[in-house]
């Protein structure tokens, strides 16, 4: 019986470490980040915080009912949107152990030619997903610590 428990714990540990190593991928093409967005478009960057809470979850970003991509632990997503109001949804999808997604939805109202940065995390006390807007300095620093997404 003891060996069965050890095997189960080993499988659990392997599963958790694999889920932490999830890659970041994006369904939309990544814009040329060396040039600013077009005057009628705005650029959005999203990355996860470095916190432990929610770490084993993947984060799916959905805009206009279409998946932009999924954030792994060490990546970021970057996409252009038409200027104006848009709803962005971030779904922290859990492992098979807890299974319940944690979601945040936020209204985005972007100005043409501008770039916006968001840090995503799960609030420890409320266990709710939070999207925090960052200024240019903090946003660029967070993205510098992350890898660009793989295109799918």
């Amino acid at each position: 019986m003891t060996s069965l428990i050890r095997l189960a714990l080993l499988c659990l540990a392997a599963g958790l470490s694999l889920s932490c190593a999830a890659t970041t991928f994006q369904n939309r093409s990544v814009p040329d980040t060396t040039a600013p967005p077009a005057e009628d478009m705005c650029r959005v960057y999203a990355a996860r915080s470095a916190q432990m809470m929610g770490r084993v979850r993947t984060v799916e970003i959905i805009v206009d009912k279409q998946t932009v991509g999924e954030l792994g632990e060490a990546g970021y997503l970057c996409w252009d949107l038409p200027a104006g109001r848009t709803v962005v949804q971030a779904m922290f999808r859990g492992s098979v152990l807890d299974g319940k997604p944690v979601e945040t939805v936020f209204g985005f109202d972007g100005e043409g030619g501008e770039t916006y940065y968001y840090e995503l995390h799960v609030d420890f006390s409320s266990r709710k997903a939070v999207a925090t807007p960052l200024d240019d300095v903090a946003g660029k620093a967070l993205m510098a610590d992350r890898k660009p997404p793989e295109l799918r």
Side-chain angles (χ1 to χ4, degrees):
M1 191 67 157
T2 306
S3 59
L4 278 176
I5 292 172
R6 285 184 195 165
L7 179 62
L9 288 174
L10 182 61
C11 289
L12 176 63
L16 288 175
S17 56
L18 286 174
S19 65
C20 290
T23 59
T24 298
F25 71 87
Q26 187 161 315
N27 296 333
R28 297 182 182 191
S29 61
V30 179
D32 176 9
T33 57
T34 62
E39 288 301 314
D40 61 339
M41 302 293 280
C42 48
R43 182 154 302 146
V44 181
Y45 285 87
R48 298 171 65 147
S49 72
Q51 73 167 28
M52 290 296 291
M53 180 81 173
R55 188 174 181 179
V56 297
R57 297 175 180 265
T58 59
V59 183
E60 179 182 11
I61 303 295
I62 303 164
V63 176
D64 294 330
K65 299 180 183 176
Q66 294 182 345
T67 299
V68 172
E70 284 190 12
L71 284 168
E73 185 179 340
Y76 66 82
L77 297 177
C78 175
W79 69 97
D80 285 350
L81 285 174
R85 189 143 180 83
T86 303
V87 174
V88 178
Q89 180 181 17
M91 297 287 293
F92 284 71
R93 299 210 183 269
S95 65
V96 292
L97 296 176
D98 68 6
K100 298 175 259 178
V102 179
E103 172 186 31
T104 185
V105 176
F106 58 98
F108 173 77
D109 194 7
E111 293 183 28
E114 297 294 321
T115 299
Y116 300 88
Y117 300 91
Y118 287 90
E119 181 179 49
L120 305 168
H121 69 279
V122 176
D123 181 67
F124 182 74
S125 60
S126 68
R127 298 196 188 280
K128 293 187 179 195
V130 178
T132 305
L134 302 174
D135 63 28
D136 280 353
V137 173
K140 288 176 182 176
L142 180 64
M143 298 315 140
D145 286 342
R146 305 291 187 267
K147 296 176 190 170
E150 295 177 11
L151 190 59
R152 281 202 181 159

